Amino acid sequence: MIHNDKVLEDVNALLDYNSVKDFLFMNVINAETNKEELSMEPHTVIGDLAIVYRVMIKTTDDQFCSARVTNEMLDHYGIDVSQLHNDALISSPNMMKPEIIPLETLLMGVPEQEAWQNEDRHFVVLTNEHKTDGASTMFYAGVLNDLATKLNHSLYIIPSSTDECIAVCDSSHLDYKHLENMLHEVNDSSLVDPDKKLSDHLYHYDKDEHIFEKAEDYQKRIFKQKYSQLLH
């Protein structure tokens, strides 16, 4: 049963931004395949991902009930997307508490403390406490930076579905193309509901530069830096 006490009790308050802003939460969807939806909603695009914004209204026995924030609502609020995004960054962790879990804990039941101590563990699931619409957790303030600091590695991010993503420690012996191929194989299989497919692109978080970007863009940036150093 899904349950969340943090809800907007008065639906009529949807047009009052001061009432709404504490109940905002972020969702992340694919920007290319949801162009029509995005034309009607304020959103923030990062790579081929789009962050959209919703208001938690109530819960039922098996699902969240929420309202999407539309362009018309934003106009009524008298704010811009930047303010909406910043307020959602604050309220999202309260609406959808993040969960950062080693994959071996989630799949094999390995105690979490033991899994974190395992030097060979490189796969970490980012979701929320309800395992629903949890991929947006990667955009919560400080989440990727804190995880990268904890693991002492930059991270590759596998956008496995709208419900979760997987962080993998970047290291010299890791072939990022292997991760990319794995993502494509999963997306092309029946393992991911088409409605929950998030992206065919692998992403990267640079813990030193604090940059989140497509893995291919990261590789180009690093190559350019190395090439520049050779010339000097």
Side-chain angles (χ1 to χ4, degrees), residues 52-193:
V52 294
Y53 309 93
R54 305 190 73 87
V55 181
M56 187 71 75
I57 296 180
K58 62 179 180 178
T59 61
T60 65
D61 285 348
D62 57 0
Q63 65 181 352
F64 291 108
C65 295
S66 62
R68 64 180 183 176
V69 178
T70 64
N71 292 333
E72 289 77 11
M73 290 168 68
L74 194 70
D75 290 341
H76 186 85
Y77 295 153
I79 62 171
D80 58 17
V81 179
S82 178
Q83 182 178 342
L84 181 70
H85 181 78
N86 289 335
D87 287 337
L89 282 175
I90 295 170
S91 57
S92 288
N94 298 323
M95 295 297 100
M96 298 285 210
K97 183 180 177 181
E99 282 202 351
I100 317 297
I101 315 167
L103 185 62
E104 57 191 311
T105 297
L106 199 62
L107 294 185
M108 297 179 287
V110 175
E112 191 168 339
Q113 185 174 1
E114 179 183 333
W116 283 119
Q117 292 173 349
N118 181 1
E119 291 294 329
D120 295 327
R121 59 91 186 72
H122 291 300
F123 290 79
V124 180
V125 178
L126 286 77
T127 184
N128 58 43
E129 59 186 331
H130 305 290
K131 313 296 188 296
T132 301
D133 295 329
S136 58
T137 298
M138 64 178 154
F139 294 122
Y140 286 10
V143 162
L144 290 182
N145 187 65
D146 290 349
L147 179 60
T149 300
K150 181 174 185 174
L151 298 177
N152 196 29
H153 279 282
S154 292
L155 306 168
Y156 280 105
I157 306 298
I158 304 172
S160 47
S161 81
T162 57
D163 287 337
E164 78 283 315
C165 57
I166 299 172
V168 185
C169 291
D170 183 1
S171 63
S172 57
H173 64 267
L174 177 67
D175 181 1
Y176 86 96
K177 285 290 186 182
H178 172 71
L179 295 179
E180 216 165 44
N181 291 336
M182 182 172 66
L183 173 61
H184 294 164
E185 289 174 4
V186 171
N187 280 343
D188 291 338
S189 72
S190 59
L191 294 175
V192 178
D193 187 318

